């Protein structure tokens, strides 16, 4: 039986293996799974053994068992080792949290069981309790996505992760690990981008990421400066934004490091030997670029600048320039040099050629002139580029004799005239002029008579002899010598009446003079013109023409505008004034002036002045603004270009002062009116807010008193009995009514005014009532006095009246004090009708007060009443306040609405 079981088991295993090999049964579980993490690259390499080629892979975050990867992959076994290998790139740094991985085989119909979990520990395991941030100091290209994780130390609560200044949404990976993902990262600053992890209490940890660009260099060009070595340069691309030393772009030229490219930052690299072919490699952690160039030596010659440029010989019209070369090989090089001259805002370029050129002669210079010279050279064969330019060198040429003068003679009578000459320009004077020499001779005299004139003279008068003509020679003089003399012979004098007059019609601003050619005019013609009607020494102008010309064009339009045009504001008017065009600039007779107002695109005519002697015009009624005026002189042929002047109309000083005073006053007056109107409209509110009514005293009970006198005189047989008590305060004052009999006896001679409206007053006396210890106690009036209306004998006991000082604790100072004032005027004197020896000490009479005072009125209405006799308090309660009388002012009347 046991043998049959064994046989059946073997048969089943054989069938199962056959099914597995045919892809129909369950494949075996992969064996020997191993993992190899690459932390900088964030990759995890797996290796295992299996007969299958199709596998399911699962990777988890170990603590929370979150699935990170669930993928089916086809992996063939290595034919040598028989192992299957597969690499996974993690989006998160592998240090962030522990990872678990398992694998199973798959065939066409079924899958195997999962292999045992393989765990790769992270930095969040309990053994490591500090805070960490991953990755650290990583460099990535701009626009890339990147994940960061923060591992919180034990007993700290995670708060947030900041990417630069941006708060990111964090995902929890494990008990202590939190992660963020940043997409499309922008370029970092000079120090990178900070990624910081915060807890609820403090900053835990952080990292820096450098986001930049790969090299973008281009345009490699190599050339020679000394006909032996090579210098290669290129254009640097955009800024890589990587500033750390280890992340800077590094260059190699034909395999050799270009250290000077980074140190000098000129982006060039040199080679001691010309190699004709070059390869430049630019590399940084984010990428690599390769540039190439090739050329023959003679095709890439870039000469250095000429050295020691100097002038070896300077003349009036030329100068010899010389220089040297710092490279000996240049002496045999066929080259071309370019020399540039600068003088008086003018420049010219001259080219010279030759082998090893080191000197040139500059021709065609002007005497007594300053020149600035720069020089650069290049190879003539296969010209590549101009070499470096030398520094500027200054040349000053010597002086030479002036050019000959343009001389003419004007006859104003038959025997008097004047010699004129035109001033020489700077170029023609060849140096500063010292003066002129005028010489004259005649046929009757031998030799020349010479006169020296200062440089500012341009004419010299002459006197003719009737017998012969005079020849005049004029020469200009400077430190280099005299110019060639210009001679002129006096012409025959002819009056205006002897001259033939022709009419000329001007066209296009000019007119043309023409004449018949004269075969005898071997020296040419002279056209002379001067203002018509001029007498005496006239401003003469002339033009010498060659004998081949038989016409001359005279421009009628003034060649120069009016001068010294200026505006002057007077109030709202503007006075325009100017000077007429100089006579020598007039090409015709000035007929008048036109004045225009210049607008944006056209001129508006303001006035036409037909009198040429008038040289001013007043423009009236202008408002405050900016204006531009144009004044043009015109002849019969037309106007000149015109002179322009601008002015901004401003307020007159007196007006400004007037407005400056009047406007603030007006504004203040208006403000006062508005405030008054507002206060009047809102007078009730203003009165309540700023001037409230002070309420009068409110006394509980009925304190009204009759308007007429109240006679409460005691009966003739009444007696006042003083009750002495040990508790009585003898320092207080007591009231003692005077018996009617004694009062009548004393006042027998006093006539009583029965018709008086004054209330009857009860005469009383003040007396100290002892020194009891309870001075502030007040006895009950009901218990201290008795009165019988019907009896003839009444005993009245008066309690001490409290001093006003006893009530200050309740109402404070400044309350009722009618008996403390001593004032001038009618007084009521209280005299003692009797004296008690035992009570005589300490007597002080009450102070008098005015009968018409409010205090007297209020008190007089209460005195004499039974309440006033028996009360132990003041007649007005202590806490009551007097009603103040409001002041009778205009402001109070305004608020109260009184007129």
């Amino acid at each position: 039986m046991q043998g049959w079981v064994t046989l059946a088991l073997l048969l089943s295993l054989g069938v199962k293996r056959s099914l597995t090999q045919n892809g129909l049964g369950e494949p075996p579980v992969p064996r020997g799974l191993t993992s190899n993490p690459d932390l900088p690259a964030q990759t995890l390499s797996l290796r295992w053994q299996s007969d299958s080629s199709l596998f399911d892979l699962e990777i988890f975050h170990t603590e929370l068992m979150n699935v990170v990867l669930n993928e089916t992959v086809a992996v063939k076994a290595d034919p040598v080792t028989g192992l299957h290998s597969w690499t996974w790139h993690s989006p998160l740094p592998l240090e962030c949290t522990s990872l678990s991985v398992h694998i199973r085989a798959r065939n066409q119909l079924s899958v195997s069981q999962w292999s045992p979990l393989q765990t790769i520990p992270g930095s969040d395991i309990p053994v490591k309790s500090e805070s960490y941030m991953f990755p650290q100091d990583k460099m990535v290209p701009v626009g890339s996505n990147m994940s960061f994780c923060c591992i919180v130390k034990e007993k700290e609560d995670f708060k947030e992760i900041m990417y630069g200044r941006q708060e990111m949404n964090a995902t929890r990976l494990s008990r202590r690990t939190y992660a963020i993902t940043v997409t499309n990262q922008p370029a970092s600053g000079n120090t990178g981008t900070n990624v910081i992890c915060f807890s609820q209490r403090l900053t835990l940890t952080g990292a820096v990421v450098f986001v930049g660009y790969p090299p973008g260099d281009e345009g490699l060009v190599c050339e020679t400066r000394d006909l032996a070595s090579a210098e290669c340069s290129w254009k640097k691309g955009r800024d890589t934004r990587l500033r750390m030393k280890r992340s800077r772009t590094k260059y190699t030229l034909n395999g050799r490091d270009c250290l000077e490219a980074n140190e000098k930052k000129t982006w060039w690299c040199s080679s001691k030997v010309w190699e004709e072919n070059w390869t430049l490699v630019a590399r940084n952690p984010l990428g690599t670029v390769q540039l190439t160039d090739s050329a023959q030596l003679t095709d890439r010659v870039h000469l250095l600048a000429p050295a020691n440029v100097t002038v070896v010989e300077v003349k009036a019209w030329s100068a010899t320039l010389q220089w040297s070369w710092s490279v000996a090989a240049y002496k045999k090089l066929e080259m071309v040099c370019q020399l540039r001259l600068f003088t008086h805002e003018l420049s010219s370029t001259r080219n010279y050629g030759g082998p090893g050129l080191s000197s040139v002669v500059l021709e065609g210079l002007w005497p007594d002139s300053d020149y600035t010279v720069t020089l650069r050279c290049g190879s003539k064969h296969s010209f590549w580029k101009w070499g470096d330019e030398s520094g500027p060198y200054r040349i000053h040429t010597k002086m030479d004799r002036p050019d000959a003068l343009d001389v003419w003679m004007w006859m104003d009578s038959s025997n008097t005239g004047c010699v004129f000459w035109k001033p020489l320009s700077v170029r023609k004077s060849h140096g500063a002029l010292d003066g002129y020499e005028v010489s004259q001779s005649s046929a009757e005299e031998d030799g020349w008579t010479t006169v020296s004139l200062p440089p500012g003279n341009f004419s010299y008068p002459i006197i003719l002899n009737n017998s012969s003509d005079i020849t005049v020679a004029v020469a200009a003089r400077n430190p280099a010598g005299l110019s060639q003399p210009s001679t002129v012979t006096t012409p025959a004098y002819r009056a205006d009446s002897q001259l033939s007059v022709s009419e000329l019609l001007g066209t296009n601003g000019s007119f043309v003079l023409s004449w018949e050619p004269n075969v005898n005019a071997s020296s040419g013609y002279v056209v002379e013109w001067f203002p018509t009607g001029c007498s005496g020494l006239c401003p003469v102008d002339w033009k010498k023409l060659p004998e081949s010309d038989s016409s001359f064009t005279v421009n009628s339009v003034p060649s120069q505008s009016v001068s010294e045009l200026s505006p002057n504001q007077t109030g709202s008017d503007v006075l325009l004034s100017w000077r007429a065009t100089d006579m020598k600039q007039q090409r015709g007779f000035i007929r008048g002036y036109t004045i225009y107002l210049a607008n944006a695109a056209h001129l508006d005519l303001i006035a036409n002045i037909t009198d040429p002697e008038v040289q001013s015009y007043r423009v009236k009624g202008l408002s405050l603004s900016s204006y531009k005026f144009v004044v043009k002189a015109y002849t019969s042929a037309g106007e000149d270009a015109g002179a322009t002047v601008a002015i901004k109309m401003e307020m007159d000083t007196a007006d400004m002062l007037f407005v400056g005073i009047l406007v603030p006053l007006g504004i203040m007056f208006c403000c006062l009116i508005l405030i008054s109107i507002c206060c009047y409209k809102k007078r009730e509110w203003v009165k309540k807010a700023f001037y409230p009514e002070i309420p009068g005293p409110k006394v509980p009970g009925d304190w009204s008193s009759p308007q007429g006198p109240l006679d409460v005189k005691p009966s003739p047989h009444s007696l006042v009995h003083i009750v002495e008590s040990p508790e009585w305060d003898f320092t207080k004052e007591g009231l003692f009514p005077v018996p009617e009999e004694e009062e009548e006896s004393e006042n027998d001679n006093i006539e009583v005014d029965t018709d008086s409206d004054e209330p009857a007053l009860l005469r009383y006396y003040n007396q100290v009532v002892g020194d009891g210890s309870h001075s502030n106690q007040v006895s009950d009036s009901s218990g201290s006095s008795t009165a019988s209306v019907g009896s003839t004998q009444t005993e009245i006991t008066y309690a001490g009246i409290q001093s006003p000082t006893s009530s200050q604790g309740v109402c404070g100072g400044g309350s009722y004090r009618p008996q403390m004032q001593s004032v001038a005027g009618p007084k009521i004197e209280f005299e003692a009708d009797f004296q008690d020896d035992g009570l005589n000490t300490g007597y002080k009479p009450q102070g008098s007060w005015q009968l018409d005072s409010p205090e007297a009125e209020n008190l007089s209405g209460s005195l004499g009443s039974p309440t006033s006799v028996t009360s132990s308090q003041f007649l007005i309660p202590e806490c009551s306040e007097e009603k103040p009388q409001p002041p009778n002012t205009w402001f109070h009347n305004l608020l109260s609405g009184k007129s």
Side-chain angles (χ1 to χ4, degrees), residues 198-415:
F198 296 91
S199 71
Q200 298 293 340
R201 299 186 303 109
L202 46 80
T203 300
L204 295 175
T205 182
V208 180
V209 60
F210 299 91
V211 186
Y213 299 95
D217 303 79
E218 59 184 4
L220 175 66
V221 175
C222 296
E223 60 188 17
T224 181
R225 306 302 300 269
D226 57 2
L227 302 179
S229 63
E231 289 185 359
C232 298
S233 61
W234 60 92
K235 295 180 181 178
K236 188 178 183 302
R238 61 185 173 185
D239 187 4
T240 62
R241 309 301 289 270
L242 301 178
R243 299 290 186 269
M244 296 181 65
K245 187 174 182 180
R246 64 184 178 87
S247 63
R248 292 175 183 171
T249 304
K250 295 178 175 56
Y251 300 92
T252 59
L253 182 64
N254 287 358
R256 297 182 296 273
D257 292 337
C258 294
L259 301 178
E260 61 266 32
N262 283 333
E263 294 174 357
K264 298 181 180 179
K265 297 182 180 180
T266 55
W267 312 114
W268 65 277
C269 192
S270 62
S271 174
K272 295 181 179 180
V273 180
W274 184 268
E275 300 181 64
E276 295 187 358
N277 295 301
W278 298 273
T279 299
L280 178 75
V281 177
R283 181 183 293 107
N284 73 6
L286 301 181
T288 302
V289 65
Q290 181 174 303
L291 306 176
T292 60
D293 186 33
S294 61
Q296 296 292 328
L297 175 66
T298 55
D299 295 340
R300 297 288 181 85
V301 179
H302 184 195
L303 298 181
L304 299 173
N308 304 321
V309 179
T310 185
V311 174
V312 294
E313 185 180 9
V314 179
K315 298 180 180 179
W317 301 90
S318 65
T320 301
L321 196 66
Q322 192 176 43
W323 63 91
S324 62
W325 296 107
S326 58
V327 178
Y330 288 0
K331 296 180 180 180
K332 298 180 180 181
L333 180 66
E334 191 73 25
M335 63 177 64
V336 59
C337 294
Q338 186 181 75
L339 188 144
R340 291 192 288 181
L341 290 172
F342 302 91
T343 178
H344 299 298
E345 301 180 357
L346 300 176
S347 63
S348 62
T349 302
R350 303 180 183 186
N351 293 332
Y352 304 88
L357 194 64
S358 59
S359 66
V360 293
V361 177
L362 303 179
E363 301 286 351
L365 304 181
W366 292 97
D368 193 33
S369 298
D370 287 323
Y371 292 91
T372 301
V373 181
T374 60
L375 182 66
R376 60 182 181 176
C377 300
S379 175
K380 189 175 182 179
H381 175 71
S382 300
F383 181 82
W384 165 241
K385 63 172 64 172
W386 287 113
D388 298 338
E389 192 170 49
S390 67
Y393 187 82
R394 183 176 177 274
I395 302 174
H396 184 80
T397 56
K398 296 182 178 181
M399 293 184 182
D400 196 8
R401 296 189 303 170
D403 287 350
L405 296 170
D406 187 359
V407 180
W408 188 242
M409 183 178 292
W410 165 260
M411 302 301 298
D412 57 354
S413 67
S414 59
N415 58 354

Side-chain angles (χ1 to χ4, degrees), residues 594-798:
T594 51
I595 301 174
Y596 298 91
L597 176 62
N599 289 324
H602 61 280
L603 299 178
D604 295 332
L605 180 63
I606 298 177
N608 183 6
I609 301 175
T610 58
D611 185 0
E613 299 298 327
V614 176
Q615 297 179 5
S616 64
Y617 181 79
R618 183 179 298 275
V619 184
K620 299 181 179 180
L622 298 177
S623 59
L624 298 180
S625 183
S626 296
Y627 298 92
K628 185 182 291 185
F629 299 99
V630 178
V631 178
K632 296 183 178 182
Y634 64 90
T635 65
S636 59
E639 296 176 334
D640 64 359
T644 304
V645 68
I647 185 174
K648 181 179 181 181
M649 299 293 292
E650 297 180 351
M651 187 177 294
D652 189 66
T653 306
D655 295 339
M656 293 180 63
L657 181 61
F658 178 74
V659 172
I661 296 175
L662 186 61
V663 170
L665 290 177
I667 294 175
M668 183 177 64
F669 183 72
C670 293
C671 292
L672 290 176
I673 292 178
L674 292 176
I675 293 173
S676 300
I677 293 174
C678 181
C679 292
Y680 183 77
K681 294 280 188 182
K682 303 291 183 180
R683 59 186 181 278
E684 293 298 332
W685 177 84
V686 175
K687 182 178 179 181
K688 291 180 181 180
F690 300 102
Y691 207 84
E693 292 286 348
I694 301 177
K698 292 183 180 181
V699 181
D702 186 10
W703 286 79
S704 60
S705 60
Q707 298 295 327
L710 179 63
D711 188 6
V712 290
K713 295 181 181 180
S715 62
H717 303 287
S718 296
L719 296 175
V720 177
H721 177 67
I722 304 301
V723 179
E724 296 186 5
S725 174
E727 297 180 355
W728 193 267
D729 188 357
F730 287 94
T731 62
K732 290 192 175 182
E733 300 173 350
L735 296 178
F736 295 87
V738 181
E740 186 177 359
E741 300 87 352
E742 297 179 3
E743 183 180 9
E744 292 177 355
S745 63
E746 290 180 359
N747 300 326
D748 288 340
N749 298 326
I750 299 176
E751 184 179 354
V752 179
D753 186 4
T754 58
D755 297 332
S756 174
D757 293 335
E758 297 292 333
L761 298 178
L762 178 64
R763 187 179 300 273
Y764 69 94
Y765 297 91
N766 291 339
Q767 188 170 351
V768 175
V769 195
D771 297 329
S773 61
H774 303 285
S775 61
N776 292 330
Q777 291 184 351
V778 180
S779 301
D780 187 2
S781 60
S782 62
S784 61
S785 63
T786 59
S788 177
V789 178
S791 64
T792 59
Q793 292 182 354
T794 304
E795 292 182 1
I796 302 175
T797 303
Y798 292 92

Side-chain angles (χ1 to χ4, degrees), residues 136 153-154 171 179 343 369 396 496 535 545 696 706 750 888 897:
Q136 287 284 334
K153 66 185 300 185
E154 295 288 352
T171 302
T343 178
S369 298
H396 184 80
D496 293 344
S535 60
L545 302 174
I750 299 176
N888 188 14

Side-chain angles (χ1 to χ4, degrees), residues 493-565:
Y493 172 75
R494 288 183 296 178
D496 293 344
S497 58
Q498 300 175 354
L499 297 176
S500 60
V501 179
S502 301
E503 292 184 359
L504 298 176
L505 296 178
T507 57
N508 297 326
S510 62
F511 59 92
V512 178
L513 295 175
S514 61
W515 56 91
E516 291 293 333
N518 191 340
V519 295
N520 297 321
S522 58
S523 299
Y525 303 94
V526 176
V527 179
E528 175 190 273
W529 65 91
F530 53 90
T532 303
C534 175
S535 60
L537 187 60
C538 296
V540 180
D541 201 358
W542 66 93
K543 180 68 175 179
K544 293 181 179 180
L545 302 174
E547 63 275 8
S548 59
D549 292 347
S550 60
S551 64
F552 178 69
T553 301
V554 179
N555 294 321
S556 178
V557 178
S559 62
Q560 185 176 355
S561 304
V562 296
S563 60
E564 301 182 13
L565 176 61

